[in-house]
């Protein structure tokens, strides 16, 4: 009897439609099963949390600023990573951001942080795939094959 194969499931939550589309295409080309949250503002976050639970995703790829892109005080992606860590401890979060905020990044990745890694959007698709592959191999405990 063969054991079932599990697909590596990723949830993408980003307020930029182009980033959502590109991330989905890129990750699917690499063999991941990808779910994308839709909507704006709080609706985007609620839809993401719904998809996370419904599809039992292993990894959440989160934008650092989900509500207000141009607001330096917007920590919504970091806060969502904390909520996911608290409510869905089996899910690993990776932050994808276009804005470097070293103090938030240190907190997100620190001993009590909610994210396993942070990828700057400007690093490009190879860096994103490399980091996600590394997180799946190091931090997500599942028998894939």
């Amino acid at each position: 009897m063969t054991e079932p194969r599990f697909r590596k499931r990723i949830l993408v939550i980003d307020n930029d439609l182009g980033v959502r589309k590109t991330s989905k295409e890129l990750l699917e080309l690499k063999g991941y099963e990808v779910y994308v949250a839709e909507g704006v503002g709080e609706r985007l976050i609620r839809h993401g949390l719904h998809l996370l639970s419904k599809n039992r995703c292993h990894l959440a790829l989160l934008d650092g600023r989900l509500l207000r892109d141009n607001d330096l005080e917007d920590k919504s992606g970091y806060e969502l990573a904390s909520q996911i860590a608290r409510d869905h401890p089996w899910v690993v979060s990776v932050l994808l951001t276009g804005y470097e905020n070293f103090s938030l990044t240190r907190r997100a990745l620190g001993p009590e942080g909610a994210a396993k890694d942070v990828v700057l959007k400007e690093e490009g698709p190879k860096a994103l795939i490399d980091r996600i592959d590394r997180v799946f191999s190091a931090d997500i405990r599942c028998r894939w094959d």
Side-chain angles (χ1 to χ4, degrees):
M1 182 163 119
T2 61
E3 295 184 30
R5 287 183 58 100
F6 295 104
R7 298 221 30 221
K8 297 173 182 175
R9 295 182 299 274
I10 297 175
L11 170 67
V12 175
I13 306 178
D14 198 297
N15 62 355
D16 183 314
L17 181 60
V19 171
R20 292 193 304 243
K21 182 177 186 263
T22 302
S23 296
K24 179 176 174 51
E25 291 170 357
L26 176 67
L27 294 167
E28 285 179 340
L29 280 174
K30 292 297 185 175
Y32 292 106
E33 187 172 328
V34 182
Y35 300 90
V36 178
E38 301 292 340
V40 176
E42 292 295 332
R43 244 182 42 241
L44 174 69
I45 293 170
R46 280 194 309 274
H47 187 234
L49 290 171
H50 169 75
L51 290 173
L52 187 73
S53 293
K54 176 183 174 195
N55 299 297
R56 297 198 47 84
C57 295
H58 303 102
L59 186 142
L61 181 62
L62 309 172
D63 187 6
R65 295 183 187 171
L66 292 168
L67 300 177
R68 297 173 307 280
D69 255 346
N70 297 319
D71 183 354
L72 296 175
E73 301 302 313
D74 182 6
K75 301 173 188 125
S76 52
Y78 297 88
E79 291 164 353
L80 181 57
S82 295
Q83 180 181 346
I84 289 170
R86 183 187 68 237
D87 298 343
H88 307 277
W90 62 88
V91 177
V92 175
S93 292
V94 172
L95 295 169
L96 178 64
T97 184
Y99 306 96
E100 276 189 76
N101 183 325
F102 292 110
S103 65
L104 276 176
T105 301
R106 265 195 302 273
R107 273 202 331 252
L109 298 175
E112 295 181 26
K116 285 293 178 187
D117 210 338
V118 175
V119 182
L120 294 175
K121 290 178 180 177
E122 66 192 32
E123 290 182 272
K126 182 173 178 0
L128 176 63
I129 291 297
D130 288 348
R131 298 276 195 24
I132 286 177
D133 287 345
R134 187 173 54 217
V135 167
F136 266 102
S137 63
D139 298 303
I140 299 175
R141 306 286 179 235
C142 190
R143 186 173 177 156
W144 303 113
D145 297 315

